[in-house]
């Protein structure tokens, strides 16, 4: 799925950077890189009448999902199985058997058979759910037809996941299934395992798919509609007004605009391509290296999945898994998200000072008075935030209302653009844009649903075999019950798993395995902190080498080496590797306080942890950059990094030590720089 979108570019200043360093990748370059690394970008090519047939089927699926979410009141098995049956149909219409195996208007006979045969078990289960639920387990688990349906349904979904997501998550699921059935493992009978994994809500139609059908698909469609109202262009222009003229302004514009656009898309790669097509050329022409420009956009765009109020798909699954309402999760995510983007902002500021870069001249920046008439573009987001925060309606109903408002806003756009004589009318709504948004929503759901179905199988295997207790004993024996060691081991698991598993599925797997371990009495991490911990490190996978899809998308636009871009993005997003430890060890960052804590004390603790964390992030960013007011020698870099980390460790003593070290080095660097200038 390509998120490429041509946008009106703000003319950046002319710099003395070499011509080759300003070379920018085209849409074709981005698609080529994404097809190489991202399975979701390897889709069939449809043209002419077949294209419209597939488009109409995908649109019908999106409308059916809206119907299921808002109107249908059948039992969960009916809704989830019809949803998965539809996913199989549009999935095999879009994804070929392997990368590059694409011919125009070609659907092989074997894919037609797989698509039809594979959807039958889910539709059969859907329309016979009540009968199957009332049938004794022993009968279902020995019925040849029902067992055959279970095998076919699981295998066809596995194949769709391989095509749209990749092999790593299937390797995880495969190992767990073998462990479930094998005599040396849990040794569970095949009939019992198939019954659990297909006919109960502890398997393929478990919590991840339930969240996908109830919430995620609606927000994917909402994001598609919102993108077509021109809100991305508006956010970029707004960010230019705020930070465009400051030192290294275009990089700061990238951070701010990506944070805002991330609220809409919730997709690391999609956000990188959408905003990066404008911000990366601006950064390169200002004087940033290509690998740094691509990394800034990738790191900032990845933060879209942790940026309230929409966040990523995993946040909805977290609400379902933990029982904490989504509105509360959004509030808890505010401080960590602020620190994440603040860390990137500090890093790009230090890089700009190090290179002596200037901002965009004010006469080349958009004026706020010209943007003010289009503030109504924010109306769908504002209404969604109000509806979500008040809890007056369900999440899905709130998203549906926001979709309607986004269409109304698009219509208003037509009259405003005409009345104010705006030349750029790309944000006008049209019937075709509505059609495209529904199609994009359906396509965007395929890989998420496929990954969620496999995550449900993983969670089902863990639950039925009691594997979590074995993992707990293993981690306890290695960590010795020390919190920081257990957290570190969990982080490594998340990052390794995230090398080839989508962030949503990564969170589902870690929530079923490692989060309960962190929450155990022996480790003692609070429930919501444990889930946020694995959530954060699952998201970081999009910029962590060797499989860093967001960084690769940024490198394609910046025409920079993919691996260098990925390493730079990891360095810029250092906050994502530090902040989870802060809220795991000091839950005050997630507004988790001991019983009896006064309101004043709560406010004081939250404010202090933000201040010390910001100062600590500054110290770590300066150490990684190697430049403050002047270049720092290796000893000072080690000291300021240690001082920064001290301020992130809970405790008054560590805060004071860190403040003295970071503050002392800053003063020394400042005085040395002034002396050298004199």
């Amino acid at each position: 799925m390509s998120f490429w979108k041509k946008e009106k570019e703000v003319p950046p200043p002319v710099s003395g950077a070499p011509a080759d360093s300003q070379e920018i990748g085209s849409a074709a370059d981005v698609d080529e890189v994404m097809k190489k690394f991202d399975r979701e970008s390897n889709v069939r090519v449809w043209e002419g009448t077949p294209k419209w047939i597939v488009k109409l089927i995908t649109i019908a699926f999106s409308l059916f999902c809206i119907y299921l979410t808002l109107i249908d009141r059948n039992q969960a098995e009916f809704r989830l199985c019809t949803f998965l049956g539809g996913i199989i149909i549009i999935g095999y219409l879009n994804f070929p058997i392997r990368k590059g195996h694409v011919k125009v208007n070609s659907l092989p006979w074997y894919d037609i058979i797989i698509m039809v045969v594979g959807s039958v078990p889910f539709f059969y289960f859907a329309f016979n759910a009540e009968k199957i639920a009332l049938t004794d387990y022993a009968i279902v688990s020995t019925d040849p037809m029902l067992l055959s349906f279970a095998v076919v349904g699981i295998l066809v979904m596995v194949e769709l996941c391989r095509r749209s997501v990749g092999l790593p998550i299937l390797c995880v699921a495969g190992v767990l299934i073998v462990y479930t059935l094998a005599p040396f493992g849990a040794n569970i009978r095949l009939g019992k395992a198939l019954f659990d994994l297909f006919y109960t809500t502890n398997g393929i139609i478990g919590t991840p798919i339930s969240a996908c059908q109830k919430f995620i698909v609606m927000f994917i469609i909402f994001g598609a509609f919102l993108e077509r109202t021109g809100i991305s262009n508006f956010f970029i222009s707004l960010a230019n007004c705020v930070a465009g003229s400051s030192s290294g302004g275009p990089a700061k514009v990238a951070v701010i605009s990506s944070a805002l656009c991330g609220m809409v898309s919730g997709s690391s790669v999609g956000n990188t391509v959408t905003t990066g097509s404008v911000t990366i050329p601006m950064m390169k022409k200002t004087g940033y290296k290509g690998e740094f420009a691509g990394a800034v956009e990738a790191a900032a765009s990845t933060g879209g999945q942790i940026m309230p109020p929409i966040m990523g798909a995993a946040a909805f699954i977290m609400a379902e898994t933990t029982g904490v309402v989504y509105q509360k999760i959004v509030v808890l995510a505010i401080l960590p998200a602020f620190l994440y983007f603040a860390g990137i902002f500090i890093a790009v500021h230090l890089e700009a000072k190090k290179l002596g870069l200037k901002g965009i001249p004010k006469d080349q920046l958009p004026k706020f008075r010209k943007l003010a008439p289009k503030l109504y573009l924010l109306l769908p987001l504002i209404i969604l935030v109000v509806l979500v925060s008040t809890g007056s309606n369900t999440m899905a109903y709130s998203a549906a209302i926001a979709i309607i408002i986004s269409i109304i806003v698009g219509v208003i756009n037509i009259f405003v653009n005409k009345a104010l004589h705006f030349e750029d009318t790309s944000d006008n709504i049209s019937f075709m844009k509505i059609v495209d948004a529904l199609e994009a929503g359906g396509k965007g759901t395929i890989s998420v649903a496929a990954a969620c179905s496999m995550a449900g199988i993983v969670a089902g295997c863990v639950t039925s075999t009691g594997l979590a207790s074995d993992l707990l004993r293993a981690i306890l024996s290695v960590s010795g019950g020390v919190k920081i060691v257990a957290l570190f081991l969990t982080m490594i698991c998340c990052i390794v798993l995230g090398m080839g598993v989508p962030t949503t599925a990564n969170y589902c797997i870690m929530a079923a395995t490692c989060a309960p371990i962190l929450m155990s009495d022996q480790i003692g991490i609070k429930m919501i902190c444990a889930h946020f911990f694995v959530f954060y490190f699952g998201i970081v996978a999009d910029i962590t080498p060797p499989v860093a899809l967001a960084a690769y998308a940024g490198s394609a636009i910046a025409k920079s080496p993919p691996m260098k871009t990925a390493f730079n993005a990891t360095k810029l997003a250092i906050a994502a590797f530090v902040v989870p430890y802060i809220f795991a060890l000091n839950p005050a960052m997630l507004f988790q306080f001991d019983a009896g804590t006064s309101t004043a004390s709560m406010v004081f603790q939250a404010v202090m942890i933000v201040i010390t964390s910001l100062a600590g992030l500054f110290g770590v960013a300066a150490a990684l950059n190697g430049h403050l007011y002047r270049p720092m020698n290796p000893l000072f870099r080690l000291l300021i990094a240690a001082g920064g980390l001290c301020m992130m460790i809970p405790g008054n003593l560590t805060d004071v030590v860190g403040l003295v070290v970071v503050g002392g080095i800053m003063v020394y660097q400042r005085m040395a720089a002034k002396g050298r200038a004199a």
Side-chain angles (χ1 to χ4, degrees):
M1 173 179 169
S2 175
F3 291 86
W4 185 269
K5 180 177 173 182
K6 188 176 180 181
E7 298 173 330
K8 191 171 181 181
E9 189 177 316
V10 178
V14 177
S15 77
D20 61 343
S21 72
Q22 297 185 23
E23 187 182 359
I24 303 301
S26 64
D29 293 326
V30 177
D31 285 339
E32 183 181 352
V33 171
M34 287 296 96
K35 284 178 180 178
K36 182 178 179 181
F37 295 105
D38 183 20
R39 287 196 172 266
E40 194 176 350
S41 300
N42 285 276
V43 293
R44 300 188 198 276
V45 178
W46 299 105
E47 293 180 357
T49 302
K51 177 181 178 179
W52 273 100
I53 293 174
V54 174
K55 183 188 286 281
L56 290 174
I57 292 173
T58 309
I59 291 169
F61 173 75
S62 292
L63 293 174
F64 178 67
C65 287
I66 294 173
Y67 164 79
L68 281 181
T69 305
L70 300 179
I71 300 173
D72 187 82
R73 292 294 177 268
N74 282 296
Q75 66 187 97
E77 287 82 357
F78 175 84
R79 288 184 284 104
L80 298 178
C81 287
T82 51
F83 173 72
L84 284 176
I87 285 291
I88 286 173
I89 292 172
I90 65 169
Y92 281 92
L93 285 174
N94 280 281
F95 290 96
I97 193 168
R98 64 176 184 269
K99 288 183 179 182
H101 193 74
V102 177
K103 294 180 182 178
V104 177
N105 294 342
S106 173
L107 182 63
W109 62 269
Y110 51 80
D111 276 349
I112 297 174
I113 293 175
I114 294 173
M115 179 176 68
V116 174
V117 173
S119 60
V120 167
F122 290 99
F123 289 128
Y124 178 85
F125 183 20
F127 289 99
N128 294 274
E130 189 172 346
K131 177 183 174 182
I132 292 173
L134 294 174
T135 305
D136 185 72
Y137 144 73
I139 296 175
V140 175
S141 64
T142 55
D143 187 306
M145 186 186 74
L146 292 179
L147 291 182
S148 298
F149 277 171
V151 171
V152 171
I154 291 172
L155 289 179
V156 170
M157 187 57 72
V158 164
E159 169 61 10
L160 178 59
C161 185
R162 184 195 66 80
R163 296 184 183 198
S164 61
V165 180
L167 284 173
I169 187 173
L170 298 184
C171 293
V172 175
V175 168
L176 285 173
I177 289 174
V178 170
Y179 177 81
T180 301
L181 299 174
F184 57 81
N187 198 21
I188 293 176
R189 193 165 56 85
L190 178 62
K192 172 72 165 62
L194 289 173
F195 175 79
D196 289 342
L197 295 180
F198 192 81
Y199 292 108
T200 73
T201 53
N202 291 323
I204 206 167
I205 56 171
T207 299
I209 275 293
S210 176
C212 185
Q213 183 268 315
K214 284 201 295 186
F215 307 123
I216 297 171
V217 64
M218 289 298 295
F219 280 86
I220 290 175
I221 295 172
F222 169 64
F225 270 96
L226 208 55
E227 283 181 9
R228 284 152 181 80
T229 64
I231 197 168
S232 295
N233 287 345
F234 180 78
F235 281 149
I236 292 171
S237 298
L238 192 63
N240 267 303
C241 287
V242 174
S245 61
S246 62
S247 178
K252 295 172 182 175
V253 168
V255 177
I256 296 171
S257 61
S258 295
L260 296 173
C261 291
M263 294 189 298
V264 176
S265 70
S267 164
S268 304
V269 177
N271 201 1
T272 300
V273 175
T274 303
T275 58
S277 60
V278 176
T279 59
I280 290 174
M282 289 165 53
M283 284 187 273
K284 288 192 72 174
K285 291 177 183 178
T286 301
Y288 287 105
K289 291 181 180 179
E291 56 264 30
F292 188 86
V296 170
E297 184 57 54
S301 294
T302 298
Q305 295 184 75
I306 59 172
M307 185 67 180
I310 297 177
M311 303 172 68
F316 297 100
I317 298 175
M318 188 192 297
E320 290 282 289
T321 304
T322 62
V324 177
V325 293
Y326 181 79
Q327 295 91 322
K328 186 173 182 180
I329 286 177
V330 168
V331 173
L332 301 183
I334 291 174
L335 291 185
F338 168 74
L339 288 174
Y340 177 84
F341 285 104
I344 300 174
F345 198 89
I346 291 168
V348 300
H349 177 76
L350 292 173
E351 183 72 10
K353 290 297 185 183
K354 177 181 177 180
L355 299 176
L357 303 181
K358 305 297 181 184
I360 301 173
K362 290 188 177 181
D363 60 351
Q364 295 182 16
L365 291 171
K367 301 295 186 290
F368 183 75
R369 65 176 180 273
K370 291 186 177 180
L371 293 177
K374 288 207 167 188
L375 284 173
Y376 61 83
L377 287 172
L378 300 176
L379 198 59
L381 269 178
I382 293 171
I383 290 176
L384 178 66
V385 171
V386 170
L387 292 175
V388 168
S389 59
T390 57
S392 54
N393 296 292
T394 63
M395 291 292 300
Y397 190 76
S398 301
I401 293 174
I403 289 171
I404 295 171
I405 298 299
S406 65
I407 295 174
I408 294 172
V409 163
V411 173
I412 293 172
N413 242 344
I414 298 173
F415 297 101
V416 171
N417 286 335
K418 189 174 181 180
L420 299 179
H421 306 290
F422 285 132
E423 294 180 5
D424 184 10
T425 58
S426 62
D427 53 4
N428 285 352
I429 199 70
S430 65
F431 175 75
M432 282 309 302
K433 283 190 176 180
I434 294 174
V435 168
D436 288 343
L438 288 170
E439 182 189 21
K443 283 185 177 179
T445 308
I446 298 171
S447 58
V448 176
C452 285
S453 66
M454 292 303 103
I457 288 178
V458 170
C461 289
V462 171
T463 302
S464 62
T465 60
L467 183 62
S469 59
D470 295 334
L471 289 173
L472 173 59
R473 285 192 294 271
I475 288 185
L476 284 175
S477 65
V478 175
S479 67
V482 179
K483 283 185 181 181
I484 194 72
V485 178
L487 290 169
F488 179 77
L489 293 173
T490 303
M491 177 191 76
I492 297 300
C493 289
C494 287
I495 293 175
V496 171
L497 185 65
M499 288 180 182
V501 176
T503 54
T504 304
N506 190 339
Y507 166 73
C508 293
I509 295 170
M510 299 308 293
T513 54
C514 290
I517 295 172
L518 296 179
M519 293 155 47
S520 65
D521 293 336
Q522 295 91 330
I523 305 296
I525 303 295
K526 291 192 175 183
M527 179 190 71
I528 197 66
C529 297
H531 280 270
F532 260 94
F533 188 87
V534 298
F535 176 48
Y536 258 66
F537 281 112
I539 285 166
V540 169
D542 274 352
I543 53 172
T544 306
V547 183
L549 295 181
Y552 294 163
S555 73
I557 300 172
K559 288 293 230 182
S560 60
M563 202 54 66
K564 275 190 177 181
T565 306
F567 278 112
N568 271 282
T570 303
K571 188 168 71 171
L572 285 167
I574 189 65
F577 295 89
V578 176
V579 169
Y581 284 94
I582 300 175
F583 59 64
L585 298 174
N586 191 347
M589 180 178 284
L590 294 181
F591 306 113
Q592 305 295 300
F593 302 97
D594 295 331
T597 306
S598 65
T599 303
S601 179
M602 290 180 186
V603 172
F604 177 77
Q605 287 184 51
V607 170
M608 284 304 298
I609 198 170
V610 170
I611 292 173
T612 55
S613 297
L614 274 175
L617 284 174
F618 179 84
V620 173
L624 291 173
N625 187 273
H627 186 279
L628 205 47
Y629 296 101
R630 53 172 291 181
M632 286 190 289
N633 62 45
L635 176 60
F636 276 10
R637 291 178 70 172
L638 284 173
L639 285 174
I640 200 169
L645 291 173
C646 278
M647 279 190 279
M648 296 178 190
I649 298 172
N652 295 330
L653 178 60
T654 53
D655 287 346
V656 171
V657 170
L659 183 62
V660 169
V661 172
V662 174
I665 292 176
M666 284 182 63
V667 170
Y668 176 81
Q669 285 274 297
R670 175 81 171 174
M671 292 174 63
K674 283 186 175 181
R676 186 175 180 182

